[in-house]
Amino acid sequence: MRALVITGPGRAEVQDVDPPAAAPGEVVVDVRRAGICGTDLELFTGEMAYYATGHTTYPVRIGHEWMGAVSAIGDGVDASWLGARVTGDTMLGCGACRRCLNGLQHVCESRGELGVRDGRPGALAEQVAVPVTSLHRLPDTVDDAMGAMVEPGGNAYRSVGAADLKPGDRCLVLGPGTIGLLCGLFARAAGAEVHLLGRSERSLAFARSLGFAGVWTEDELPHLPWDAVIEASNAKHLPARALDLVEPGKRVVYVGLAGTPSLIDTRDLALKDVTAVGVLSASPGLAGTIASYAGGEVDPRALIAATVTLDELPAILAGARSEGAGPGPKTHVSMNVIGE
C-alpha cells in the first residue's frame, strides 16, 4: 500500500509499504480522509519535542486526524465492526496502569500516539491498523469530511466544557487557528457571546466570515468582562495575558502550546480566584464531538481550505498552497478506498 513517510527533517515522500494486518483486538481501516495539523508540521520540520526526548525517531508515518471504513478484524473483535464507518482515538494507553484504569488513558506514561510517537504508523496512508477499543462509529449524518474533523473537534469540545460556559456568558478565544475556531464554534453553540483574538489579517478575516461577535488584534481588544478565556495559540506571552484578562472567579483554559516555556504568575491565579484548566488530547471529547456534529450544533467543514491527494502532500508539508484553496486553516487528504 502507499503511505506518506517523513524520512528526515523537511523530507517527506510517498512510499510503497507493507499493508497492516489486524492483530488480536485490532482492526484494519481503509482510510478515506485524513487531516493535517500543526503537530504533523512539527514532525515534518523536526521541531517536534518528541524527537529530543526519544519518543519519536525517523522515519515517521504521520496522520492522527482521520476517518475510514473497517475492512478487516483480528481475533476477539466483534464482526459487527466490519464495514463500519469510523474514526479513532490518537492516544493509546497501556490499559493496565493506574491512569488507564481510572479513565485517563490519554495521559498514560507509556501511551502510544497514532502517527506521532513511535510504534503506531499513522493514517496518512491507504490503510491503518488500530485497537478496536480506540474506535468510534460515525453516524450517516457525519460525512467523511466531518469525520476527519472529529479529532481536532474533540480538543475544542473539551476546552469549551472546561470553560464551564453558561448561555449569555462572554468568551474570548486567543488564536484563530483550527482549534481556536472550533472552540469558538462550540462556545457559540453553548450560548456564549464569542470573541476571537489573533494577529494575521488573513486568519482574522476568515474568523470574521464565521460571524463571531468580535474578532480583534491585541491592540484593538476592547475592555470587556470575559467570563472565560481559552488560550489556543502558540504565542508564549498569551497564557499570562489570558490570566490577566479573565474575570475574577472565572476560568482560563490552556489548550495551545508554545515552542518555548510560557510563564504565568501564580499570585494572579490565586488572588483572582481563577480556575485554570489544561487540556491534552481529544480523547474524552470524541463521543461528544460526534454527537454535536451529527445533531447540527457545530459544522466544522467551513474550516477545510482544500482537499488534496496523497501525492500532493509532500509539497503541502513543505509550504505549498493547493491551487484553489479556500481561506480556512485546514488541509485534508483524500485516499482511494481499497476495493472501490
Side-chain angles (χ1 to χ4, degrees), residues 183-317:
C183 284
L185 294 176
F186 277 105
R188 187 167 63 188
E193 175 191 314
V194 179
H195 297 247
L196 278 86
L197 182 144
R199 183 171 55 188
S200 81
E201 183 51 42
R202 179 176 173 174
S203 63
L204 293 174
F206 179 69
R208 291 188 189 100
S209 76
L210 298 177
F212 294 113
V215 178
W216 315 96
T217 65
E218 283 195 77
D219 292 338
E220 299 169 337
L221 187 68
H223 294 287
L224 294 171
W226 306 107
D227 297 298
V229 179
I230 300 175
E231 208 293 286
S233 80
N234 60 3
K236 68 177 183 179
H237 73 288
L238 285 182
R241 182 74 171 136
L243 181 55
D244 178 57
L245 288 167
V246 73
E247 279 286 280
K250 298 295 186 174
R251 291 193 170 216
V252 175
V253 180
Y254 294 111
V255 65
L257 292 174
T260 54
S262 303
L263 305 179
I264 64 171
D265 190 335
T266 57
R267 293 173 296 184
D268 292 337
L269 189 71
L271 292 172
K272 292 182 70 172
D273 199 29
V274 166
T275 299
V277 183
V279 172
L280 171 72
S281 108
S283 302
L286 295 173
T289 299
I290 292 169
S292 294
Y293 290 177
E297 297 169 25
V298 171
D299 187 341
R301 289 173 292 187
L303 277 61
I304 303 170
T307 302
V308 302
T309 67
L310 195 61
D311 288 317
E312 294 175 281
L313 186 52
I316 299 293
L317 291 171

Side-chain angles (χ1 to χ4, degrees), residues 23 28 90 100 150 155 158 177 214 265:
V28 172
T90 299
C100 286
V150 169
N155 285 278
R158 289 191 64 211
D265 190 335

Side-chain angles (χ1 to χ4, degrees), residues 78-105:
D78 193 296
S80 66
W81 284 105
L82 276 172
R85 294 176 64 252
V86 296
T87 187
D89 202 340
T90 299
M91 304 298 201
L92 307 174
C94 72
C97 71
R98 185 173 184 268
R99 296 175 192 175
C100 286
L101 295 175
N102 282 281
L104 297 172
Q105 54 85 25

Side-chain angles (χ1 to χ4, degrees), residues 43-204:
L43 287 164
F44 173 73
T45 62
E47 298 172 291
M48 164 58 72
Y50 282 170
Y51 289 123
T53 62
H55 287 112
T56 303
T57 57
Y58 297 108
V60 184
R61 285 170 48 188
I62 61 173
H64 61 277
E65 302 178 0
W66 60 274
M67 67 74 57
V70 176
S71 59
I73 60 174
D75 290 345
V77 176
D78 193 296
S80 66
W81 284 105
L82 276 172
R85 294 176 64 252
V86 296
T87 187
D89 202 340
T90 299
M91 304 298 201
L92 307 174
C94 72
C97 71
R98 185 173 184 268
R99 296 175 192 175
C100 286
L101 295 175
N102 282 281
L104 297 172
Q105 54 85 25
H106 61 290
V107 288
C108 170
E109 187 172 0
S110 58
R111 69 183 180 273
E113 295 183 20
L114 185 78
V116 180
R117 287 195 182 193
D118 283 352
R120 279 287 175 182
L124 280 162
E126 291 175 326
Q127 292 183 313
V128 65
V130 295
V132 69
T133 53
S134 72
L135 293 182
H136 290 259
R137 294 179 187 266
L138 296 175
D140 291 341
T141 48
V142 176
D143 66 14
D144 290 0
M146 297 169 79
M149 291 291 288
V150 169
E151 198 280 339
N155 285 278
Y157 179 91
R158 289 191 64 211
S159 298
V160 171
D164 195 27
L165 292 165
K166 300 182 295 296
D169 279 354
R170 183 180 291 117
C171 176
L172 177 64
V173 180
L174 309 184
T178 297
I179 301 300
L181 291 169
L182 286 167
C183 284
L185 294 176
F186 277 105
R188 187 167 63 188
E193 175 191 314
V194 179
H195 297 247
L196 278 86
L197 182 144
R199 183 171 55 188
S200 81
E201 183 51 42
R202 179 176 173 174
S203 63
L204 293 174

